[in-house]
Amino acid sequence: MLKYLIRASFEVDGRVEKHDIIGAVFGQTEGLLGSEFNLEELQNKDKIGRVHIDLKYQGTKTVGEIQIPSNLDRVETVLLAAMIETVDKVGPYTARITVESIEDLRAEKLKWIVQRARELLQTVKEQEPDIKEIIREVTQRIEAQPKVIEYGEDKLPAGPDVEKSDTIIIVEGRADVINLGRYGYTNTIAIGGAKERVPKTIIDLAKGKKVILFVDGDRGGEMIMRTVLSQMHVDYVARAPKGMEVEQLTGKEVARALAQMVPAEEMMKQLGMAPAQPAQQVQQPQPPAGAAAQQEQQVVVQPPAAQPPQQPQAEAQAVAQEAQPQQAEVAQQQAGVTSLIMPKQVLDNMKELKGTLEAVAYDRSWNEVARLKVKDLFNWMQQIEPGKVYAVVFDGIITQRLIDAASEKGVALLIGARIGSKVSSRKGDVVFMTFSDIV
């Protein structure tokens, strides 16, 4: 590998050719530093490379550059460079040669290697797996596959809490059970598609429970509705959006569909089926009850006065059982009333919120998700993961902006100090009320 490159400029007071200049350099330097430094001898020993000449004519003069690659050591290369500056004639013309630079070719190559290595390293870094991203992806995949059990003698796909829950959600297939489980609904059971008869397992399981039928938004979903409604007691019916299946729904779409469920008796009328027994009072779908559920008590929440009558189901009312028997009786007599089970601790916290200008967010098991200032509520709600929050109780004004944000994030319930004067619509998938609605 050649080590150095001598660059020298020249000027000749006459027109000459390349071979004239090379001949002058070789001839006039011969013997100056002994035979070992003769350029021809150095070339034969591969101590220097081929001499390269670039020239052009400027009037009667010839100017250009000489390049001499050298494999000598540093000192010898410097001596060689100084030696060629002694050339003062090319043919009959006066000449001047000046060494402009001596480049270390190894340094240039090293510089190129470093630059290229940086480029290659960047490529490697871009392809290098991010361990944090891998962990996040693996965790999400594990979390995205909720446990599915085989329930009863028919071994039907079901959520792990379907037996102990007071409310069950009947869906079509295993994929529906899995999808609802992702969003916290673990009290589900699959009927197994369109069948002529409802499995005995489901009929037995439904005894003494509140039953919600959740079907696809297609012809198959309607067929399942007719089969189930004609063979067993159902309290409410929910449907996926038209043309969609339950297994395809996002958390927000699931929450909206369940919030818009209608009494089974009304659905049977729409389908032209014979009237069923009066629908019993039903709970809003609840995921598996946590520790707080064992301390639940019921209170009657009056529907907000502004509720439009044309909604498919009565305005959702948080219902829980007061100590006085007559109030429980009132709740039982309200046809089509949905009920929200609210733990006593939540009701106590609601009272303590008054005057604090704070908000508390809960998940579907009424576990506290976050506590923050009301002034930060809107921005916080825009950033939460859809389906993560079920209810927000806050010492502030319920505005249209908050209702819209709640709808976007799958929040089912807003309870505030009062309702703003500019609230122009009631979202079908968001129930909202004030502290004073709770008696």
Side-chain angles (χ1 to χ4, degrees):
M1 182 183 71
L2 295 172
K3 301 177 182 177
Y4 301 99
L5 178 64
I6 301 171
R7 292 182 181 274
S9 61
F10 65 85
E11 182 179 343
V12 181
D13 295 337
R15 286 177 172 260
V16 296
E17 302 295 335
K18 290 182 180 180
H19 61 83
D20 296 324
I21 298 171
I22 292 174
V25 170
F26 274 69
Q28 293 179 39
T29 59
E30 185 176 359
L32 282 178
L33 297 177
S35 60
E36 292 184 358
F37 255 67
N38 288 343
L39 296 181
E40 187 174 353
E41 186 70 20
L42 290 173
Q43 269 191 340
N44 291 335
K45 294 180 179 180
D46 292 328
K47 293 296 185 180
I48 64 172
R50 181 182 178 186
V51 178
H52 181 77
I53 304 291
D54 285 325
L55 62 76
K56 61 182 178 180
Y57 300 115
Q58 292 181 347
T60 59
K61 292 185 176 184
T62 305
V63 298
E65 182 183 71
I66 302 173
Q67 296 180 11
I68 304 177
S70 170
N71 201 26
L72 299 168
D73 63 26
R74 182 176 57 178
V75 175
E76 290 173 334
T77 299
V78 170
L79 286 173
L80 176 62
M83 185 176 69
I84 65 173
E85 284 191 337
T86 64
V87 176
D88 56 3
K89 285 277 189 181
V90 176
Y93 305 112
T94 300
R96 293 164 294 281
I97 297 179
T98 304
V99 174
E100 301 294 341
S101 65
I102 300 176
E103 298 176 5
D104 188 334
L105 296 178
R106 294 168 303 176
E108 290 299 315
K109 285 187 177 182
L110 181 59
K111 187 185 299 183
W112 181 88
I113 290 171
V114 170
Q115 178 61 32
R116 182 58 180 154
R118 287 174 179 166
E119 295 173 358
L120 293 174
L121 179 60
Q122 185 63 34
T123 303
V124 172
K125 281 186 176 180
E126 290 174 355
Q127 297 175 348
E128 193 175 78
D130 185 339
I131 188 63
K132 291 183 179 179
E133 180 64 22
I134 291 174
I135 292 173
R136 184 190 67 80
E137 183 177 345
V138 170
T139 301
Q140 282 186 344
R141 287 185 178 181
I142 292 175
E143 292 175 348
Q145 296 296 329
K147 182 179 178 182
V148 177
I149 65 172
E150 292 183 344
Y151 183 79
E153 61 183 22
D154 296 302
K155 295 185 177 181
L156 300 176
D161 298 299
V162 69
E163 185 169 18
K164 65 183 179 181
S165 177
D166 292 334
T167 300
I168 62 169
I169 304 175
I170 301 175
V171 292
E172 179 177 346
R174 179 185 180 88
D176 301 335
V177 173
I178 292 174
N179 193 44
L180 291 182
R182 290 190 180 107
Y183 306 113
Y185 302 90
T186 53
N187 53 341
T188 55
I189 187 166
I191 198 171
K195 295 183 176 180
E196 292 183 358
R197 299 204 61 81
V198 177
K200 183 175 181 298
T201 296
I202 291 183
I203 295 175
D204 292 341
L205 174 66
K207 292 177 180 178
K209 294 181 181 291
K210 313 306 178 185
V211 181
I212 299 169
L213 177 61
F214 193 0
V215 297
D216 297 342
D218 55 15
R219 175 61 179 165
E222 182 178 329
M223 293 172 62
I224 292 174
M225 271 196 298
R226 291 180 178 275
T227 299
V228 175
L229 291 175
S230 65
Q231 296 181 23
M232 66 174 287
H233 168 75
V234 174
D235 294 287
Y236 271 70
V237 178
R239 298 198 70 177
K242 187 175 181 180
M244 295 187 68
E245 300 177 357
V246 174
E247 66 183 79
Q248 301 172 324
L249 303 184
T250 64
K252 173 185 170 184
E253 290 168 337
V254 169
R256 180 182 294 118
L258 289 171
Q260 293 175 341
M261 63 187 181
V262 300
E265 186 175 17
E266 181 179 331
M267 179 58 69
M268 294 181 74
K269 290 179 181 178
Q270 292 179 17
L271 296 174
M273 299 176 65
Q277 294 297 321
Q280 299 178 11
Q281 184 181 351
V282 65
Q283 295 178 351
Q284 282 282 24
Q286 297 288 330
Q294 298 186 9
Q295 301 177 2
E296 291 170 352
Q297 87 171 41
Q298 295 183 325
V299 293
V300 178
V301 178
Q302 300 296 338
Q307 176 64 28
Q310 67 271 21
Q311 276 199 303
Q313 66 182 75
E315 174 65 66
Q317 301 175 317
V319 179
Q321 191 167 33
E322 288 276 39
Q324 295 86 348
Q326 63 270 25
Q327 289 189 347
E329 182 179 354
V330 170
Q332 293 291 337
Q333 292 173 357
Q334 297 183 42
V337 172
T338 54
S339 61
L340 284 165
I341 301 302
M342 298 178 65
K344 182 178 182 301
Q345 182 63 38
V346 175
L347 302 175
D348 293 339
N349 289 344
M350 191 183 306
K351 297 174 184 178
E352 294 173 1
L353 273 179
K354 293 180 180 180
T356 64
L357 296 179
E358 290 185 346
V360 181
Y362 298 94
D363 64 15
R364 286 186 170 272
S365 296
W366 292 102
N367 297 314
E368 185 173 315
V369 174
R371 184 179 290 263
L372 62 155
K373 295 293 184 184
V374 170
K375 65 182 179 66
D376 301 322
L377 180 58
F378 177 75
N379 290 335
W380 177 82
M381 197 178 296
Q382 286 187 312
Q383 298 172 6
I384 62 175
E385 179 183 346
K388 181 178 180 180
V389 174
Y390 174 66
V392 179
V393 182
F394 62 104
D395 180 35
I397 301 172
I398 299 174
T399 63
Q400 187 66 46
R401 188 170 72 153
L402 278 177
I403 295 170
D404 293 341
S407 176
E408 288 296 317
K409 297 299 182 178
V411 178
L413 176 64
L414 292 178
I415 302 177
R418 64 186 180 88
I419 299 174
S421 59
K422 295 185 179 180
V423 172
S424 58
S425 66
R426 289 182 177 270
K427 290 281 185 178
D429 55 348
V430 181
V431 175
F432 56 95
M433 57 190 70
T434 66
F435 293 156
S436 60
D437 292 321
I438 302 175
V439 298

